[in-house]
Amino acid sequence: MYTKNIWESDKYFNFRYVKCLPKDFDENKKYPLVFFLHGAGERGNDLDVAQRHGFMKHVRENGSEYPFIFIGPQCPDDKYWGCYTESLIAFLDYICKELPVDLDRVYLTGLSMGGTGTWMLAMADPKRFAAIAPVCGSGICWNAEMVKDIPIMMYHGDCDDVVPITESITMLNAVNRMQGNAELKILYGVDHGAWEAAYSGDELVNWLLSHKRNA
């Protein structure tokens, strides 16, 4: 079930967002939540454009089904996710109250600009997430200690000339120097489109769902 929505708030930015619920959704059950941040090319006010990459691409094109609640907000034109950190946290609070979310299984992922946004949001609210997966994003290495307790899986193409793979390598080393738990999947021969491999198949889904907050 793929629906387009808008979050209305008097205090925070009102995100347009996509919601996708698992098959046979039961509001009396608790579900994992995947919170997805798109890239710079998907900004604007067209939610179909916002979800042209990532998990929802496979839902729309292949009829793929996932065992989690999916929420994908859209960033306005000419802005970036870091402009809306406080609003994203408030929006996530709203989602977790309105939907039957397992609060110990909230996952964060994003690609390119959204990969950078993943780092920023996780650093702003590190105790919320059971695991994060930044895809070809740039990090904030001097603040790596904030995410040292979160399992992290990165994907990055070694031929990326938009966001160099050194960004992910630097974050990998910075987090793990803090005794963190970060991994990096290097996609050899791949340019900036690392998301095609990252969100295909079951590898990332299974990795995310294998983690539980405070386990």
Side-chain angles (χ1 to χ4, degrees), residues 153-159 165-166 168-169 172 183-190 194 197 203:
M153 177 66 75
M154 292 171 273
Y155 290 80
H156 217 126
D158 71 331
C159 298
I165 193 173
T166 51
S168 286
I169 293 172
L172 175 77
E183 301 177 58
L184 171 59
K185 294 276 187 179
I186 299 176
L187 305 172
Y188 293 100
V190 174
E203 180 182 68

Side-chain angles (χ1 to χ4, degrees), residues 91-208:
F91 174 52
L92 193 47
D93 286 339
Y94 163 79
I95 292 296
C96 289
K97 290 176 182 176
E98 289 296 307
L99 294 172
V101 174
D102 181 344
L103 298 181
D104 290 325
R105 303 183 75 195
V106 176
Y107 309 106
L108 174 63
T109 185
L111 60 92
S112 192
M113 182 187 81
T116 303
T118 295
W119 286 117
M120 297 177 75
L121 187 56
M123 288 174 177
D125 197 5
K127 293 185 178 180
R128 181 187 296 269
F129 301 106
I132 66 172
V135 178
C136 59
S138 55
I140 309 169
C141 60
W142 51 263
N143 205 30
E145 186 174 6
M146 295 300 296
V147 292
K148 67 181 179 63
D149 296 324
I150 308 174
I152 300 166
M153 177 66 75
M154 292 171 273
Y155 290 80
H156 217 126
D158 71 331
C159 298
D160 194 330
D161 60 358
V162 177
V163 180
I165 193 173
T166 51
E167 291 287 341
S168 286
I169 293 172
T170 298
M171 287 306 300
L172 175 77
N173 294 333
V175 171
N176 289 341
R177 272 197 302 270
M178 299 288 179
Q179 308 302 312
N181 181 17
E183 301 177 58
L184 171 59
K185 294 276 187 179
I186 299 176
L187 305 172
Y188 293 100
V190 174
D191 57 17
H192 192 51
W195 51 81
E196 294 294 345
Y199 296 105
S200 296
D202 296 327
E203 180 182 68
L204 180 55
V205 172
N206 290 339
W207 182 86
L208 288 170

Side-chain angles (χ1 to χ4, degrees), residues 3-30:
T3 60
K4 302 173 184 179
N5 310 267
I6 185 167
W7 176 50
E8 296 183 349
S9 167
D10 294 333
K11 184 177 180 181
Y12 300 101
F13 180 77
N14 287 207
F15 289 107
R16 296 174 182 271
Y17 68 99
V18 160
K19 174 175 69 177
C20 189
L21 302 178
K23 183 180 179 181
D24 300 325
F25 176 76
D26 182 350
E27 62 183 12
N28 295 312
K29 293 174 59 176
K30 294 289 188 180

Side-chain angles (χ1 to χ4, degrees), residues 46-121:
D46 185 336
L47 284 168
D48 287 333
V49 171
Q51 300 303 322
R52 65 182 175 183
H53 301 305
F55 293 127
M56 289 304 102
K57 172 184 177 180
H58 301 289
V59 169
R60 293 167 61 198
E61 295 182 0
N62 309 319
S64 298
E65 296 176 354
Y66 297 104
F68 51 73
I69 296 170
F70 175 93
I71 297 292
Q74 187 169 33
C75 188
D77 282 325
D78 302 320
K79 300 293 185 180
Y80 62 97
W81 290 117
C83 299
Y84 300 104
T85 300
E86 188 177 7
S87 290
L88 285 169
I89 290 171
F91 174 52
L92 193 47
D93 286 339
Y94 163 79
I95 292 296
C96 289
K97 290 176 182 176
E98 289 296 307
L99 294 172
V101 174
D102 181 344
L103 298 181
D104 290 325
R105 303 183 75 195
V106 176
Y107 309 106
L108 174 63
T109 185
L111 60 92
S112 192
M113 182 187 81
T116 303
T118 295
W119 286 117
M120 297 177 75
L121 187 56

